[in-house]
Amino acid sequence: MEWLERLKKSGNGDLEVTYKPFVLEQENFASRHEPGWKIWEDKLFPSRDVPPLLAAQCAARQGEEAFLNYNQLLFRARHQKELDITNQLILLDVAREAGLDLERFSEDIRTRAGVEEVAVRHEEAVAEHGIFGVPTLFFNRGAPVFVKLEEGDWEKSPEADQDLLRELRSVSERQPYILEIKQPESAKLAEQSAKKYQPYKG
């Protein structure tokens, strides 16, 4: 997702990116609980998704630039440094690195200030658009597009970011009959990715 961060911060091209939280664990674990169970209400559930999503919403309360800085650093902490971003101290360290108002951020984290936004956006995504996974891209016209991307040198190029989103937008808006595309390597790459990013390392 860092490529989306760069694209939004660059301000180049004709694409604007708006982020909305989606709790993947809600979709994965709801069937194992009683009807009406909501992960963001279950404080005993050891969620990996909710703490960083709430932290990002707390950062957003300090402005769009604060959110962009925090969100990008959060992805780096998770995927490059392999840190446990469910840990409150790690979330605070990221806020410090992003230059946020730490006192305000800490208070918002303590009171779970972003929980309503996470809940509303998640349920809206499911009920209105049938979204089931991340990342899902939803353009102004066309159907939502769920994508899986391999890491590579292309991520270092803002021009490649723009090209990728234009191609995905084309599929979403002009070829809605394309429901799924998979390469033979996709299953192997998914398995490698799962091994790489799980479990969290503190």
Side-chain angles (χ1 to χ4, degrees):
M1 292 294 287
E2 192 166 319
W3 54 284
L4 281 176
E5 299 285 358
R6 288 198 313 275
L7 178 62
K8 186 168 180 65
K9 292 186 74 172
S10 70
N12 296 324
D14 59 350
L15 292 169
E16 295 183 1
V17 180
T18 300
Y19 293 90
K20 295 185 179 182
F22 186 85
V23 191
L24 189 59
E25 288 173 323
Q26 175 67 26
E27 300 307 294
N28 292 341
F29 294 106
S31 62
R32 305 181 190 181
H33 293 80
E34 67 278 3
W37 176 80
K38 304 298 182 185
I39 189 172
W40 46 82
E41 296 174 355
D42 188 347
K43 296 181 180 179
L44 297 180
F45 186 87
S47 174
R48 299 182 308 160
D49 291 351
V50 173
L53 285 173
L54 291 183
Q57 292 305 309
C58 291
R61 293 167 67 87
Q62 298 190 30
E64 183 180 16
E65 188 67 21
F67 168 78
L68 289 174
N69 288 336
Y70 187 82
N71 214 35
Q72 184 175 59
L73 291 170
L74 199 59
F75 279 116
R76 289 179 182 173
R78 173 67 183 95
H79 295 296
Q80 294 182 9
K81 299 178 182 179
E82 297 186 302
L83 298 176
D84 178 4
I85 59 172
T86 69
N87 186 305
Q88 298 292 310
L89 295 177
I90 299 297
L91 295 174
L92 188 61
D93 284 343
V94 175
R96 184 179 293 107
E97 186 179 358
L100 301 188
D101 180 332
L102 294 182
E103 183 175 349
R104 178 180 176 185
F105 180 82
S106 297
E107 179 62 15
D108 286 342
I109 285 285
R110 186 187 68 80
T111 60
R112 293 167 55 88
V115 69
E116 183 176 354
E117 177 72 7
V118 169
V120 168
R121 295 308 178 192
H122 177 93
E123 296 189 332
E124 176 185 85
V126 174
E128 297 184 14
H129 308 299
I131 292 174
F132 60 89
V134 293
T136 295
L137 306 179
F138 191 18
F139 299 96
N140 289 336
R141 299 181 301 277
V145 178
F146 170 70
V147 296
K148 287 186 177 181
L149 298 171
E150 178 61 279
E151 298 177 0
D153 290 339
W154 69 271
E155 294 180 282
K156 302 175 184 178
S157 167
E159 293 77 16
D161 295 345
Q162 290 276 353
D163 290 343
L164 174 61
L165 284 188
R166 289 194 183 96
E167 293 293 336
L168 291 172
R169 182 172 64 178
S170 176
V171 170
S172 170
E173 296 177 354
R174 301 175 190 174
Q175 290 91 26
Y177 45 82
I178 297 178
L179 299 181
E180 188 172 9
I181 299 174
K182 281 190 175 182
Q183 295 183 352
E185 287 286 294
S186 62
K188 183 173 71 174
L189 292 174
E191 183 179 355
Q192 291 174 351
S193 178
K195 289 180 179 178
K196 180 177 180 180
Y197 294 129
Q198 296 180 3
Y200 281 130
K201 297 179 181 178

